Amino acid sequence: MSQSSIDVSEEAGIRYLHFGSEWVQGAMRIRRSIDLELEYTREMMFGLLLRGGFTAEAKWPKRILLIGLGAGSLTKFCYWKLPQARVTTVEIDESVWAAASFHFKLPPEDIRLSIVIDDGVDFMTRPGPGYDYILIDGYDEDAKVGLLDSLPFYQACWARLNEGGMLATNLFGRSRKYGPPLKRLSEAFEGRSLALPQGESGNVIALATRGAEIAVSLTELRERAVQLKAATGLDLRPTLKRLEQSTTLQDGALRI
């Protein structure tokens, strides 16, 4: 089992997690501990705009899987802001779980939240339940992901997605050369993938889906973004502005 050197720092009301290096592995604004502080974590939740799932009455997503805990930001958001969902987070290093619990207000496990100490690749390649939303954000102290960026792993993710399910993965560290991982993801998902425009942090979030084509107009995305912010506090309107200025949209719509 991997063992990371865990460092925690604070600056200007924000607490940061490091794995013994300069790379920020997670962040929490102390006075707003559930909000997604880092831009890329907010964009990892972009699937909510595509599926419209951000209210207690929504049917999607009911089951969420996260690979990589970090400071627990995405786990906390999914647990607190999406009460219809059961959340499972797989983390290879038990010391990361301890740090997230002690320093970053990770809630204890209950009927809706499970923390599994395991290798993410091993977890995905074993038989198990299906998921509606899979979020992949597993990095070591050198900002490397290993086999979490491999064709067999992406194929295993496809197999574990329910019909209409979505995957989001953080391509940080590969943002200047994200073509190869995006090609692997596209192959595993039969061409059903895309990359959001690169953000200020240098991260690129890639999305992939299984099932019928998703096509949502920019106008509808803007309306959903307003509703999402009202329901959860998550503001994805800056991402939509970048989308509008990019070549990602087709005939004024996002298709995947």
Side-chain angles (χ1 to χ4, degrees), residues 133-209:
Y133 204 10
I134 296 176
L135 305 170
I136 304 167
D137 185 30
Y139 284 87
D140 64 16
E141 63 272 15
D142 298 316
K144 295 180 179 179
V145 296
L147 293 177
L148 292 178
D149 172 26
S150 66
L151 179 58
F153 175 72
Y154 292 141
Q155 290 171 329
C157 289
W158 183 92
R160 294 286 289 275
L161 277 177
N162 295 326
E163 191 73 6
M166 295 196 68
L167 174 147
T169 183
N170 175 23
L171 300 185
F172 172 73
R174 296 164 282 168
S175 58
R176 295 182 182 276
K177 298 180 180 179
Y178 66 84
L182 191 60
K183 182 178 180 180
R184 288 187 283 273
L185 186 64
S186 179
E187 181 177 349
F189 279 77
E190 301 174 346
R192 305 288 306 289
S193 65
L194 60 82
L196 295 176
Q198 182 173 326
E200 294 181 4
S201 63
N203 298 64
V204 171
I205 303 304
L207 303 170
T209 188

Coordinates of all heavy atoms in Angstrom, one line a residue, residues 133-209:
Y133 N -22.0 8.1 -12.0 CA -20.9 9.1 -12.2 C -19.6 8.6 -11.6 O -19.6 8.3 -10.4 CB -21.4 10.4 -11.5 CG -20.8 11.7 -12.1 CD1 -20.0 11.7 -13.3 CD2 -20.9 12.9 -11.5 CE1 -19.5 12.9 -13.8 CE2 -20.4 14.1 -12.0 CZ -19.7 14.1 -13.2 OH -19.2 15.2 -13.7
I134 N -18.6 8.5 -12.4 CA -17.3 8.1 -11.9 C -16.3 9.3 -12.1 O -16.2 9.9 -13.1 CB -16.7 6.9 -12.7 CG1 -17.6 5.7 -12.5 CG2 -15.3 6.6 -12.3 CD1 -17.2 4.5 -13.3
L135 N -15.7 9.7 -11.0 CA -14.8 10.9 -10.9 C -13.4 10.4 -10.6 O -13.2 9.7 -9.6 CB -15.2 11.9 -9.9 CG -16.7 12.4 -10.0 CD1 -17.1 13.2 -8.8 CD2 -16.8 13.2 -11.2
I136 N -12.4 10.6 -11.5 CA -11.1 10.1 -11.3 C -10.1 11.3 -11.1 O -9.9 12.2 -11.9 CB -10.6 9.4 -12.6 CG1 -11.6 8.2 -12.9 CG2 -9.2 8.8 -12.4 CD1 -11.4 7.6 -14.3
D137 N -9.5 11.3 -9.9 CA -8.5 12.3 -9.5 C -7.5 11.7 -8.6 O -7.4 12.1 -7.4 CB -9.3 13.5 -8.9 CG -8.3 14.7 -8.6 OD1 -7.4 14.9 -9.4 OD2 -8.6 15.4 -7.6
G138 N -6.7 10.8 -9.1 CA -5.7 10.1 -8.3 C -4.3 10.5 -8.7 O -3.9 10.0 -9.8
Y139 N -3.6 11.2 -7.9 CA -2.2 11.6 -8.2 C -1.3 11.3 -7.0 O -1.7 11.4 -5.9 CB -2.2 13.1 -8.5 CG -2.7 13.5 -9.9 CD1 -4.1 13.7 -10.1 CD2 -1.9 13.5 -11.0 CE1 -4.6 14.0 -11.3 CE2 -2.3 13.8 -12.2 CZ -3.7 14.0 -12.4 OH -4.2 14.3 -13.7
D140 N 0.0 11.0 -7.4 CA 1.0 10.8 -6.3 C 1.7 12.1 -6.1 O 1.4 13.2 -6.6 CB 1.9 9.7 -6.7 CG 2.8 9.9 -7.9 OD1 2.9 11.1 -8.3 OD2 3.3 9.0 -8.4
E141 N 2.8 12.1 -5.3 CA 3.5 13.3 -4.9 C 4.2 13.9 -6.1 O 4.6 15.1 -6.0 CB 4.6 13.0 -3.8 CG 5.6 12.0 -4.2 CD 5.2 10.5 -3.9 OE1 4.0 10.3 -3.7 OE2 6.1 9.7 -3.9
D142 N 4.4 13.2 -7.2 CA 5.0 13.7 -8.4 C 4.0 14.1 -9.5 O 4.4 14.3 -10.6 CB 6.0 12.7 -9.0 CG 7.1 12.4 -8.0 OD1 7.7 13.3 -7.4 OD2 7.5 11.2 -7.8
A143 N 2.7 14.2 -9.1 CA 1.7 14.5 -10.0 C 1.5 13.5 -11.1 O 1.3 13.8 -12.3 CB 1.8 15.9 -10.5
K144 N 1.8 12.2 -10.8 CA 1.6 11.1 -11.8 C 0.4 10.2 -11.4 O 0.1 10.1 -10.2 CB 2.9 10.3 -11.8 CG 4.1 11.1 -12.4 CD 5.4 10.3 -12.4 CE 6.5 11.1 -12.9 NZ 7.8 10.3 -13.0
V145 N -0.2 9.7 -12.4 CA -1.4 8.9 -12.2 C -1.2 7.4 -12.4 O -2.0 6.6 -12.1 CB -2.6 9.4 -13.0 CG1 -2.9 10.8 -12.7 CG2 -2.2 9.3 -14.5
G146 N -0.1 7.0 -13.1 CA 0.2 5.6 -13.4 C -0.9 5.0 -14.2 O -1.4 5.6 -15.2
L147 N -1.4 3.8 -13.8 CA -2.3 3.0 -14.6 C -3.8 3.6 -14.6 O -4.6 3.1 -15.3 CB -2.3 1.6 -14.2 CG -1.1 0.8 -14.4 CD1 -1.1 -0.6 -13.9 CD2 -0.7 0.8 -15.9
L148 N -4.0 4.7 -13.8 CA -5.3 5.3 -13.9 C -5.5 6.0 -15.2 O -6.6 6.5 -15.5 CB -5.4 6.4 -12.7 CG -5.5 5.8 -11.3 CD1 -5.6 6.9 -10.3 CD2 -6.7 4.8 -11.2
D149 N -4.4 6.2 -16.0 CA -4.5 6.6 -17.3 C -4.0 5.5 -18.2 O -2.9 5.5 -18.7 CB -3.7 7.9 -17.5 CG -3.6 8.3 -19.0 OD1 -4.5 7.9 -19.8 OD2 -2.6 8.9 -19.4
S150 N -4.9 4.5 -18.5 CA -4.5 3.4 -19.3 C -5.8 2.9 -20.0 O -6.9 3.1 -19.5 CB -3.9 2.3 -18.6 OG -4.8 1.7 -17.6
L151 N -5.7 2.3 -21.2 CA -6.8 1.8 -21.9 C -7.6 0.8 -21.1 O -8.8 0.8 -21.0 CB -6.4 1.3 -23.3 CG -7.6 0.7 -24.1 CD1 -8.6 1.8 -24.4 CD2 -7.0 0.2 -25.4
P152 N -6.9 -0.2 -20.5 CA -7.7 -1.2 -19.7 C -8.5 -0.6 -18.5 O -9.6 -1.0 -18.2 CB -6.6 -2.2 -19.2 CG -5.5 -2.0 -20.2 CD -5.5 -0.6 -20.6
F153 N -7.9 0.4 -17.9 CA -8.6 1.0 -16.8 C -9.8 1.8 -17.3 O -10.9 1.7 -16.7 CB -7.7 2.0 -16.1 CG -8.4 2.8 -15.0 CD1 -8.8 2.2 -13.8 CD2 -8.7 4.2 -15.2 CE1 -9.4 2.9 -12.8 CE2 -9.3 4.9 -14.2 CZ -9.7 4.3 -13.0
Y154 N -9.7 2.5 -18.4 CA -10.8 3.2 -18.9 C -11.9 2.3 -19.4 O -13.1 2.5 -19.3 CB -10.4 4.2 -20.1 CG -9.6 5.3 -19.7 CD1 -8.5 5.7 -20.5 CD2 -9.8 6.0 -18.5 CE1 -7.7 6.8 -20.1 CE2 -9.0 7.1 -18.1 CZ -8.0 7.5 -18.9 OH -7.2 8.6 -18.6
Q155 N -11.5 1.2 -20.0 CA -12.5 0.1 -20.4 C -13.2 -0.4 -19.2 O -14.4 -0.7 -19.2 CB -11.7 -1.0 -21.2 CG -11.3 -0.5 -22.5 CD -10.4 -1.6 -23.2 OE1 -9.6 -2.3 -22.5 NE2 -10.4 -1.6 -24.5
A156 N -12.5 -0.6 -18.1 CA -13.1 -1.1 -16.8 C -14.1 -0.1 -16.3 O -15.2 -0.5 -15.8 CB -12.0 -1.4 -15.8
C157 N -13.8 1.2 -16.4 CA -14.7 2.2 -16.0 C -16.0 2.2 -16.9 O -17.1 2.3 -16.4 CB -14.0 3.6 -16.1 SG -12.8 3.9 -14.9
W158 N -15.8 2.0 -18.2 CA -17.0 1.9 -19.1 C -17.9 0.8 -18.7 O -19.1 0.9 -18.6 CB -16.5 1.8 -20.5 CG -17.6 1.7 -21.5 CD1 -18.1 2.7 -22.2 CD2 -18.3 0.5 -21.9 NE1 -19.1 2.3 -23.1 CE2 -19.3 0.9 -22.9 CE3 -18.3 -0.8 -21.6 CZ2 -20.2 0.1 -23.5 CZ3 -19.2 -1.7 -22.2 CH2 -20.1 -1.3 -23.1
A159 N -17.2 -0.3 -18.3 CA -18.0 -1.5 -18.0 C -18.8 -1.3 -16.7 O -19.8 -1.9 -16.4 CB -17.1 -2.7 -17.9
R160 N -18.3 -0.5 -15.8 CA -18.9 -0.3 -14.5 C -19.9 0.9 -14.5 O -20.5 1.2 -13.5 CB -17.8 0.0 -13.4 CG -16.9 -1.2 -13.1 CD -17.6 -2.3 -12.3 NE -17.9 -1.9 -11.0 CZ -17.0 -2.0 -10.0 NH1 -15.8 -2.6 -10.3 NH2 -17.3 -1.7 -8.8
L161 N -20.0 1.6 -15.6 CA -21.0 2.7 -15.7 C -22.4 2.1 -16.0 O -22.5 1.2 -16.9 CB -20.6 3.7 -16.8 CG -19.6 4.8 -16.4 CD1 -19.3 5.7 -17.6 CD2 -20.1 5.7 -15.2
N162 N -23.4 2.6 -15.4 CA -24.8 2.3 -15.8 C -25.1 3.0 -17.1 O -24.4 3.9 -17.5 CB -25.7 2.8 -14.7 CG -25.6 2.1 -13.4 OD1 -25.3 0.9 -13.4 ND2 -25.8 2.8 -12.3
E163 N -26.1 2.6 -17.8 CA -26.5 3.2 -19.0 C -26.9 4.7 -18.8 O -27.6 5.0 -17.8 CB -27.8 2.5 -19.6 CG -28.1 2.9 -21.0 CD -27.2 2.3 -22.0 OE1 -26.3 1.5 -21.7 OE2 -27.3 2.7 -23.2
G164 N -26.3 5.5 -19.6 CA -26.4 7.0 -19.4 C -25.4 7.5 -18.3 O -25.5 8.7 -18.0
G165 N -24.5 6.7 -17.9 CA -23.6 7.1 -16.9 C -22.5 8.0 -17.5 O -22.3 8.0 -18.7
M166 N -21.8 8.7 -16.6 CA -20.7 9.6 -17.1 C -19.5 9.5 -16.3 O -19.5 9.0 -15.1 CB -21.2 11.1 -17.1 CG -22.3 11.4 -18.0 SD -22.5 13.2 -18.2 CE -20.9 13.6 -19.1
L167 N -18.3 9.8 -16.9 CA -17.0 9.8 -16.3 C -16.4 11.1 -16.4 O -16.5 11.8 -17.5 CB -16.1 8.7 -16.9 CG -14.7 8.6 -16.4 CD1 -14.2 7.2 -16.4 CD2 -13.8 9.4 -17.3
A168 N -15.7 11.6 -15.4 CA -14.9 12.8 -15.5 C -13.5 12.5 -14.9 O -13.4 11.9 -13.9 CB -15.5 14.0 -14.7
T169 N -12.5 12.9 -15.6 CA -11.1 12.7 -15.1 C -10.3 13.9 -15.3 O -10.4 14.7 -16.2 CB -10.5 11.5 -15.9 OG1 -9.2 11.2 -15.4 CG2 -10.4 11.8 -17.4
N170 N -9.4 14.1 -14.3 CA -8.6 15.3 -14.3 C -7.2 15.0 -15.0 O -6.5 14.1 -14.6 CB -8.3 15.7 -12.8 CG -7.3 16.8 -12.6 OD1 -7.1 17.6 -13.5 ND2 -6.7 16.9 -11.5
L171 N -7.0 15.7 -16.0 CA -5.7 15.5 -16.8 C -4.6 16.4 -16.4 O -3.8 16.7 -17.2 CB -6.0 15.6 -18.3 CG -7.1 14.7 -18.9 CD1 -7.2 14.9 -20.4 CD2 -6.8 13.2 -18.5
F172 N -4.6 16.9 -15.2 CA -3.5 17.7 -14.7 C -2.2 17.0 -14.9 O -2.1 15.8 -14.6 CB -3.7 18.1 -13.2 CG -2.5 18.8 -12.7 CD1 -2.2 20.1 -13.0 CD2 -1.6 18.2 -11.8 CE1 -1.1 20.8 -12.5 CE2 -0.5 18.8 -11.2 CZ -0.3 20.1 -11.6
G173 N -1.1 17.8 -15.2 CA 0.2 17.2 -15.5 C 0.3 16.7 -16.9 O 1.4 16.4 -17.4
R174 N -0.8 16.6 -17.6 CA -0.8 16.2 -19.0 C -1.5 17.2 -19.9 O -1.9 17.0 -21.0 CB -1.6 14.8 -19.2 CG -0.9 13.7 -18.5 CD -1.8 12.5 -18.3 NE -2.8 12.8 -17.2 CZ -3.9 12.0 -17.0 NH1 -4.1 11.1 -17.9 NH2 -4.6 12.3 -16.0
S175 N -1.7 18.4 -19.3 CA -2.5 19.4 -20.0 C -1.9 19.9 -21.3 O -2.7 20.2 -22.2 CB -2.8 20.6 -19.0 OG -1.5 21.2 -18.7
R176 N -0.6 19.9 -21.4 CA 0.0 20.3 -22.6 C 0.1 19.1 -23.6 O 0.3 19.3 -24.8 CB 1.5 20.8 -22.4 CG 1.5 22.1 -21.6 CD 2.9 22.6 -21.4 NE 2.9 23.8 -20.6 CZ 2.7 25.0 -21.1 NH1 2.5 25.2 -22.3 NH2 2.8 26.1 -20.3
K177 N -0.1 17.9 -23.1 CA 0.0 16.7 -24.0 C -1.2 15.8 -23.6 O -1.0 14.6 -23.3 CB 1.3 16.0 -23.8 CG 2.5 16.8 -24.2 CD 3.8 16.0 -24.0 CE 5.0 16.9 -24.4 NZ 6.3 16.1 -24.2
Y178 N -2.4 16.4 -23.6 CA -3.5 15.5 -23.2 C -4.1 14.8 -24.3 O -5.1 14.0 -24.2 CB -4.6 16.4 -22.4 CG -5.3 17.4 -23.3 CD1 -6.4 17.1 -24.0 CD2 -4.9 18.7 -23.2 CE1 -7.1 18.0 -24.8 CE2 -5.6 19.7 -24.0 CZ -6.7 19.3 -24.7 OH -7.3 20.3 -25.5
G179 N -3.6 14.9 -25.5 CA -4.0 14.1 -26.7 C -4.0 12.6 -26.4 O -5.0 11.9 -26.7
P180 N -2.8 12.1 -26.0 CA -2.8 10.6 -25.8 C -3.8 10.1 -24.8 O -4.5 9.1 -25.1 CB -1.3 10.4 -25.4 CG -0.6 11.5 -26.0 CD -1.5 12.7 -25.9
P181 N -3.9 10.7 -23.6 CA -4.9 10.1 -22.7 C -6.3 10.3 -23.2 O -7.2 9.4 -23.0 CB -4.7 10.9 -21.3 CG -3.9 12.1 -21.7 CD -3.1 11.7 -22.9
L182 N -6.6 11.4 -23.9 CA -7.9 11.6 -24.4 C -8.2 10.6 -25.5 O -9.4 10.1 -25.6 CB -8.1 13.0 -24.9 CG -9.5 13.5 -25.3 CD1 -10.4 13.4 -24.1 CD2 -9.5 14.9 -25.9
K183 N -7.2 10.2 -26.3 CA -7.4 9.2 -27.3 C -7.7 7.8 -26.7 O -8.6 7.1 -27.1 CB -6.1 9.1 -28.1 CG -6.2 8.1 -29.3 CD -4.9 8.1 -30.1 CE -5.1 7.1 -31.3 NZ -3.8 7.0 -32.1
R184 N -7.0 7.5 -25.6 CA -7.3 6.3 -24.9 C -8.7 6.3 -24.3 O -9.4 5.3 -24.4 CB -6.3 6.0 -23.7 CG -4.9 5.7 -24.2 CD -4.0 5.3 -23.1 NE -3.5 6.5 -22.4 CZ -2.4 7.1 -22.7 NH1 -1.7 6.8 -23.8 NH2 -2.0 8.2 -22.0
L185 N -9.1 7.4 -23.7 CA -10.4 7.5 -23.2 C -11.5 7.4 -24.3 O -12.5 6.7 -24.1 CB -10.6 8.8 -22.5 CG -11.9 9.1 -21.7 CD1 -12.1 8.1 -20.6 CD2 -12.0 10.5 -21.2
S186 N -11.2 8.0 -25.4 CA -12.2 7.9 -26.5 C -12.3 6.5 -27.1 O -13.4 6.1 -27.4 CB -11.7 8.9 -27.6 OG -12.6 8.8 -28.8
E187 N -11.2 5.8 -27.1 CA -11.2 4.4 -27.6 C -12.1 3.6 -26.7 O -12.9 2.7 -27.1 CB -9.8 3.9 -27.7 CG -9.8 2.4 -28.3 CD -8.3 1.9 -28.4 OE1 -7.4 2.7 -28.3 OE2 -8.2 0.7 -28.7
A188 N -11.9 3.7 -25.4 CA -12.6 2.9 -24.4 C -14.1 3.2 -24.4 O -14.9 2.3 -24.2 CB -12.0 3.1 -23.0
F189 N -14.4 4.5 -24.8 CA -15.8 4.9 -24.7 C -16.4 5.1 -26.1 O -17.4 5.8 -26.3 CB -16.0 6.2 -23.9 CG -16.0 6.0 -22.5 CD1 -14.8 5.7 -21.8 CD2 -17.2 6.1 -21.8 CE1 -14.9 5.5 -20.4 CE2 -17.2 5.9 -20.4 CZ -16.1 5.6 -19.7
E190 N -15.8 4.4 -27.1 CA -16.3 4.4 -28.5 C -16.6 5.8 -29.1 O -17.6 6.1 -29.7 CB -17.6 3.6 -28.5 CG -17.4 2.1 -28.0 CD -18.7 1.4 -27.9 OE1 -19.8 2.0 -27.9 OE2 -18.7 0.1 -27.7
G191 N -15.6 6.7 -28.8 CA -15.7 8.0 -29.3 C -16.5 9.0 -28.5 O -16.6 10.2 -28.9
R192 N -17.1 8.5 -27.4 CA -18.0 9.4 -26.7 C -17.3 10.1 -25.6 O -17.5 9.9 -24.4 CB -19.1 8.5 -26.1 CG -19.8 7.6 -27.1 CD -20.8 8.5 -28.0 NE -21.6 9.3 -27.1 CZ -22.6 8.7 -26.4 NH1 -22.9 7.4 -26.5 NH2 -23.4 9.5 -25.7
S193 N -16.4 11.0 -25.9 CA -15.6 11.8 -25.0 C -15.2 13.1 -25.5 O -15.3 13.4 -26.7 CB -14.3 11.0 -24.6 OG -13.4 10.9 -25.7
L194 N -14.9 14.0 -24.6 CA -14.4 15.4 -25.0 C -13.7 16.0 -23.8 O -13.7 15.5 -22.7 CB -15.6 16.3 -25.4 CG -16.7 16.6 -24.3 CD1 -16.3 17.7 -23.4 CD2 -18.0 17.0 -25.0
A195 N -12.9 17.0 -24.2 CA -12.1 17.7 -23.1 C -12.7 19.1 -23.0 O -12.9 19.8 -24.0 CB -10.6 17.8 -23.5
L196 N -12.9 19.6 -21.8 CA -13.3 21.0 -21.6 C -12.1 21.9 -21.8 O -10.9 21.4 -21.7 CB -13.8 21.2 -20.1 CG -15.0 20.4 -19.7 CD1 -15.3 20.6 -18.2 CD2 -16.2 20.8 -20.6
P197 N -12.3 23.1 -22.2 CA -11.2 24.0 -22.4 C -10.3 24.2 -21.2 O -10.8 24.2 -20.1 CB -11.9 25.4 -22.8 CG -13.2 25.0 -23.3 CD -13.6 23.8 -22.5
Q198 N -9.0 24.2 -21.4 CA -8.1 24.3 -20.3 C -8.4 25.5 -19.4 O -8.6 26.6 -19.9 CB -6.7 24.4 -20.8 CG -5.6 24.4 -19.7 CD -4.2 24.3 -20.3 OE1 -4.0 23.6 -21.3 NE2 -3.3 25.0 -19.7
G199 N -8.3 25.3 -18.1 CA -8.6 26.4 -17.1 C -7.3 27.1 -16.7 O -6.2 26.8 -17.2
E200 N -7.5 28.1 -15.9 CA -6.3 28.9 -15.5 C -5.3 28.1 -14.7 O -4.1 28.4 -14.7 CB -6.8 30.1 -14.6 CG -7.6 31.1 -15.4 CD -8.1 32.3 -14.5 OE1 -7.6 32.3 -13.3 OE2 -8.8 33.1 -15.0
S201 N -5.7 27.1 -14.0 CA -4.9 26.2 -13.2 C -4.0 25.3 -14.1 O -3.0 24.7 -13.6 CB -5.7 25.4 -12.3 OG -6.5 24.5 -13.0
G202 N -4.3 25.2 -15.4 CA -3.6 24.3 -16.2 C -4.2 22.9 -16.3 O -3.8 22.1 -17.1
N203 N -5.2 22.7 -15.5 CA -5.9 21.4 -15.6 C -6.8 21.3 -16.8 O -7.4 22.3 -17.2 CB -6.8 21.2 -14.3 CG -5.9 21.1 -13.1 OD1 -5.3 22.1 -12.7 ND2 -5.9 20.0 -12.4
V204 N -7.0 20.1 -17.3 CA -8.0 19.8 -18.4 C -8.8 18.7 -17.9 O -8.4 17.6 -17.5 CB -7.3 19.4 -19.7 CG1 -8.3 18.9 -20.7 CG2 -6.5 20.6 -20.3
I205 N -10.1 18.9 -17.8 CA -11.1 17.9 -17.4 C -11.7 17.3 -18.6 O -12.2 17.9 -19.5 CB -12.2 18.5 -16.6 CG1 -11.6 19.2 -15.3 CG2 -13.2 17.5 -16.1 CD1 -10.7 18.4 -14.5
A206 N -11.6 15.9 -18.7 CA -12.1 15.2 -19.8 C -13.4 14.5 -19.3 O -13.5 14.0 -18.2 CB -11.1 14.1 -20.3
L207 N -14.4 14.4 -20.2 CA -15.7 13.8 -19.9 C -15.9 12.7 -20.9 O -15.5 12.8 -22.1 CB -16.8 14.8 -20.0 CG -16.7 16.0 -19.1 CD1 -17.8 17.0 -19.5 CD2 -16.9 15.7 -17.6
A208 N -16.6 11.6 -20.4 CA -17.0 10.5 -21.3 C -18.3 10.0 -20.8 O -18.6 10.1 -19.7 CB -15.9 9.4 -21.3
T209 N -19.0 9.4 -21.7 CA -20.4 8.9 -21.3 C -20.7 7.6 -22.0 O -20.1 7.2 -23.1 CB -21.4 9.9 -21.7 OG1 -22.7 9.5 -21.1 CG2 -21.6 10.1 -23.2

